[in-house]
Amino acid sequence: MLLIECPWCGPRDESEFAYGGEADISRPIDPDALSDAEWADYLFMRSNRKGENREIWNHQHGCRRWFVVERDTVSYAIRATFPMDGEGRSP
Amino acid sequence: MALGLLKSAFPRAGAAHLPDRPSLKPSYDVVIIGAGAHGMAIAYHLARYHGIRRVAVLDRGYLGGGNTARNTAVIRSNYLTEESVRFYRESVRLFRELSNELDYNILFENRGQLTLAHSDSDLRNFRWRAEVNKELGVRSELVDLAEVQRRVPLLDCDPAAHYPVLGGLWHADGATARHDAVVWGYARAACRLGVELHPLTEVTGLEVSGGAIRAVETARGTIACDAVVQAVAGMSSEVARLADIDLPIHTYPLQALVTQPYKPVLTPLVSSPRWHVYIQQTSRGEFVIGGGCDPYPLYQTRSTLDLKEALCRGITQLFPFLAEANILRQWGGITDMTPDYSPVMGHSPVDNYFLDAGWGTWGFKATPICGVTMAELVASGQVPELIRPFALERFYTFDQVNEAGATAASH
Ligand SMILES: Cc1cc2nc3c(=O)[nH]c(=O)nc-3n(C[C@H](O)[C@H](O)[C@H](O)COP(=O)(O)OP(=O)(O)OC[C@H]3O[C@@H](n4cnc5c(N)ncnc54)[C@H](O)[C@@H]3O)c2cc1C
Ligand SMILES: [Zn+2]
């Protein structure tokens, strides 16, 4: 069981959190202006990297807030966690 | 006693099934990345039925050491969509004949599979699947609690259970086979026809020019080739990235475990979507137990206590006697999960670069039909009807083949 640092609540058990997908994917401001291919890219295509990744997680059984996690998908190591706007507690 | 007689009574383990690793040639007609069951089946069909024998199968590890070695060998065709049922039905049919096809005993056993209903909505969903299956000639039926008890006497059917069993989906075509034997059988047959197997040969780069694949870079040198098939399971995104191909795939570990052996007491494969667990007794008597993926993506095959506890919690609710069982082995494999729980097969955006990916937690059962259809595609350039629905393009045209409900915890 990992200890994950919620930027608001501090270190908590992994089981309190939910993985929410890759970070830095923003919803297109005007979806109607996109082609089907661009919309599909946004919805489905992911980088799925072996190694360092930026992700969003939710402190589901805690404050229920979303935040960013920098995590290594090989070593399990969490390098940093911070709020969605990039402000707040530094790693 | 003559020494020769002694020798034949105790054949040398692993004797002469496969040739030693050859040296790498500067070019091949077809390079297959990944020497799992899929890669070897495709190579076999190219050589045996399409006369394409200048084929090299490359693996960064050893033959069948990926998910082929790690899967729990559930073979079934009781899916929900017409596209999937047709495809997996054909694979199950080919599995039945595979020992003869390969002249190698894959220990195929038609045990039947029972999926447990713990709620009214499970029952309605199973009725739907049974009707789709029957329409397409797959043997599935909704069965009541008495029938469940008759087929699996050791199952706890107490109505006061946490999630009482109400009935089930009985799939008479459900089966299992020796997973390692499948890849060994294909490899032996393919190599006899001239296919080259190259273990310890990692693919590190792909050379694309003019929109087509030209060469494959490996740790042992660069190979020119006319066509490439990637069949690398959990590494699908990483290998496709070498050719700048985006995939809708996430890599998640899937874990399983095996208990000490017992006398034979459980014939069918049994799964419970509600408990997220499934079980079968091997012909050696051990219980193989599996369930859902790890909760977040990883390229790691490590076992975790959390997941093992979840498997044990679920299975001891269904089969209380297993609380006494010792766990003999535990392991994990990395699975290439797609959003709709269907594979990604066929052409890619790069000419002559073919995808056999997105097999997630359910691809072992598809091995024979992948061999047939992918080889046909590579040889003819035409997409076989059976795999048309699984093209990568479906994500761009929003024609997903949704099997999430029929796949969870049953594989
Ligand atoms: C625990 C577990 C249980 C499962 N249970 C079932 C089940 O009951 N029924 C079912 O149908 N399916 C099941 N599956 C899924 C099934 O195992 C896979 O979908 C299937 O084995 C995929 O076959 P493959 O030959 O494509 O992959 P693999 O056997 O994984 O072969 C891929 C090969 O590619 C190689 N490779 C990777 N990267 C490179 C590179 N860069 N260069 C060269 N080689 C490379 C790897 O070394 C590997 O040998 C399960 C999976 C797991 C992990
Ligand atoms: Zn919190």
Side-chain angles (χ1 to χ4, degrees):
Chain A
M1 178 91 62
L2 300 177
L3 263 190
I4 298 177
E5 173 111 2
C6 170
W8 291 279
C9 310
R12 298 295 179 90
D13 276 355
E14 170 189 328
S15 59
E16 293 186 14
F17 297 89
Y19 167 74
E22 292 180 5
D24 311 313
I25 299 173
S26 33
R27 192 175 198 282
I29 292 173
D30 184 6
D32 288 342
L34 300 186
S35 66
D36 279 358
E38 288 167 326
W39 183 241
D41 263 335
Y42 157 70
L43 284 183
F44 301 120
M45 300 303 150
R46 294 296 180 263
S47 54
N48 188 34
R49 280 181 195 287
K50 178 182 177 193
E52 281 289 326
N53 280 260
R54 275 168 58 83
E55 304 167 337
I56 54 170
W57 285 63
N58 185 261
H59 191 187
Q60 208 169 42
H61 303 280
C63 66
R64 296 201 162 204
R65 293 216 247 182
W66 289 94
F67 59 102
V68 176
V69 173
E70 283 177 8
R71 190 175 64 91
D72 190 305
T73 54
V74 178
S75 68
Y76 288 75
I78 292 179
R79 211 160 62 87
T81 61
F82 38 86
M84 296 291 280
D85 59 9
E87 299 291 321
R89 227 187 256 224
S90 61
Chain B
M1 190 200 266
L3 207 65
L5 210 69
L6 254 178
K7 257 191 179 159
S8 62
F10 301 99
R12 194 157 56 88
H17 271 45
L18 294 168
D20 290 339
R21 188 180 80 175
S23 53
L24 213 52
K25 296 198 178 75
S27 77
Y28 294 90
D29 293 341
V30 179
V31 169
I32 295 172
I33 313 173
H38 283 217
M40 292 316 311
I42 297 164
Y44 167 73
H45 278 273
L46 282 172
R48 172 82 174 74
Y49 294 105
H50 301 280
I52 300 176
R53 299 189 173 181
R54 283 173 27 90
V55 176
V57 187
L58 317 179
D59 201 288
R60 63 174 180 166
Y62 57 95
L63 173 69
N67 289 354
T68 297
R70 297 154 196 274
N71 83 86
T72 49
V74 174
I75 298 171
R76 64 187 179 90
S77 55
N78 57 352
Y79 282 79
L80 178 61
T81 67
E82 217 179 296
E83 294 89 336
S84 302
V85 176
R86 284 184 202 287
F87 174 77
Y88 293 106
R89 177 190 65 188
E90 185 59 12
S91 206
V92 173
R93 192 187 67 76
L94 293 169
F95 251 119
R96 285 196 200 110
E97 294 160 10
L98 197 56
S99 295
N100 286 331
E101 169 81 30
L102 300 176
D103 188 22
Y104 198 93
N105 190 354
I106 62 151
L107 302 179
F108 180 84
E109 290 180 84
N110 188 180
R111 303 267 203 100
Q113 189 213 27
L114 181 69
T115 313
L116 301 173
H118 298 274
S119 69
D120 287 345
S121 48
D122 286 345
L123 287 171
R124 277 198 299 278
N125 176 271
F126 290 176
R127 185 184 299 278
W128 178 12
R129 271 167 70 185
E131 291 309 317
V132 173
N133 289 185
K134 275 186 268 189
E135 179 70 20
L136 296 167
V138 164
R139 292 183 295 164
S140 295
E141 57 180 315
L142 193 65
V143 293
D144 62 12
L145 185 59
E147 178 70 5
V148 167
Q149 264 172 322
R150 195 181 66 75
R151 293 205 177 268
V152 190
L154 286 174
L155 184 70
D156 184 1
C157 291
D158 186 346
H162 192 74
Y163 296 130
V165 177
L166 304 180
L169 180 64
W170 172 247
H171 177 41
D173 295 328
T176 189
R178 177 82 202 280
H179 50 343
D180 294 319
V182 171
V183 67
W184 296 339
Y186 275 117
R188 188 183 69 159
C191 290
R192 283 181 176 168
L193 294 166
V195 168
E196 288 183 12
L197 172 61
H198 292 272
L200 297 176
T201 308
E202 180 164 9
V203 171
T204 52
L206 295 168
E207 239 177 80
V208 177
S209 74
I213 187 76
R214 306 289 169 191
V216 174
E217 291 158 19
T218 80
R220 292 167 64 214
T222 298
I223 318 164
C225 55
D226 296 335
V228 172
V229 182
Q230 78 157 68
V232 294
M235 295 302 289
S236 291
S237 300
E238 286 292 334
V239 172
R241 196 182 338 275
L242 300 173
D244 276 326
I245 298 168
D246 289 331
L247 293 177
I249 286 176
H250 280 112
T251 295
Y252 283 90
L254 180 67
Q255 305 185 29
L257 61 85
V258 102
T259 69
Q260 71 190 86
Y262 284 77
K263 69 179 183 183
V265 287
L266 179 65
T267 304
L269 322 179
V270 178
S271 92
S272 165
R274 177 57 62 99
W275 281 111
H276 237 79
V277 60
Y278 63 97
I279 186 168
Q280 74 195 65
Q281 189 173 22
T282 69
S283 39
R284 275 198 296 228
E286 301 165 346
F287 289 99
V288 177
I289 299 165
C293 288
D294 280 32
Y296 45 86
L298 286 164
Y299 284 80
Q300 254 298 348
T301 56
R302 205 179 285 174
S303 282
T304 64
L305 185 60
D306 292 3
L307 260 287
K308 261 54 206 211
E309 279 180 340
L311 294 183
C312 294
R313 189 183 309 127
I315 210 64
T316 53
Q317 295 284 332
L318 299 171
F319 296 98
F321 78 95
L322 283 175
E324 306 295 325
N326 292 305
I327 294 172
L328 284 196
R329 297 185 299 282
Q330 47 163 338
W331 66 93
I334 53 170
T335 61
D336 38 336
M337 301 294 288
T338 55
D340 59 358
Y341 288 67
S342 285
V344 174
M345 300 176 77
H347 288 291
S348 79
V350 173
D351 286 348
N352 298 329
Y353 190 86
F354 301 96
L355 298 167
D356 177 62
W359 283 110
T361 63
W362 56 85
F364 172 71
K365 71 176 71 60
T367 300
I369 191 63
C370 281
V372 170
T373 53
M374 290 299 297
E376 191 182 326
L377 170 64
V378 172
S380 71
Q382 304 295 315
V383 183
E385 211 48 56
L386 268 187
I387 65 169
R388 207 173 278 280
F390 304 122
L392 177 59
E393 288 99 271
R394 76 177 180 277
F395 292 97
Y396 294 101
T397 52
F398 310 101
D399 288 321
Q400 288 93 325
V401 185
N402 185 1
E403 290 296 349
T407 303
S410 293
H411 306 307

